[in-house]
Amino acid sequence: MIWIVRGLLLAGLLAVLGWGQEKEYGIWSLGFLLAAWVMLEPKLRPVLILLPVAGMTGVVALIWQQSWH
């Protein structure tokens, strides 16, 4: 069962990298998928401390992509 979830997360990551990178929320979506992957992998649990940093990076990416006309 976990292999199905891993496969779906990998497919989502590849889809965001291929299709959503130039889109408005592509980088943000990639961050959410990576966070979901980290939360599911037992060996990566110590990395959970970095999730708030990743969240703030997503916020900065959204602000950076806004046009200030």
Side-chain angles (χ1 to χ4, degrees):
M1 178 69 176
I2 193 72
W3 290 104
I4 295 171
V5 174
R6 286 178 183 163
L8 289 173
L9 282 173
L10 182 60
L13 285 171
L14 292 175
V16 168
L17 282 175
W19 171 79
Q21 199 169 20
E22 298 297 323
K23 305 290 188 237
E24 187 174 350
Y25 294 107
I27 295 173
W28 203 37
S29 300
L30 186 65
F32 275 113
L33 285 171
L34 286 173
W37 198 318
V38 166
M39 288 173 35
L40 286 175
E41 293 293 330
K43 292 180 183 177
L44 296 177
R45 293 283 165 99
V47 181
L48 288 175
I49 192 71
L50 296 177
L51 283 181
V53 175
M56 289 307 296
T57 303
V59 169
V60 169
L62 283 175
I63 292 171
W64 178 59
Q65 290 176 355
Q66 294 295 322
S67 60
W68 301 102
H69 300 287

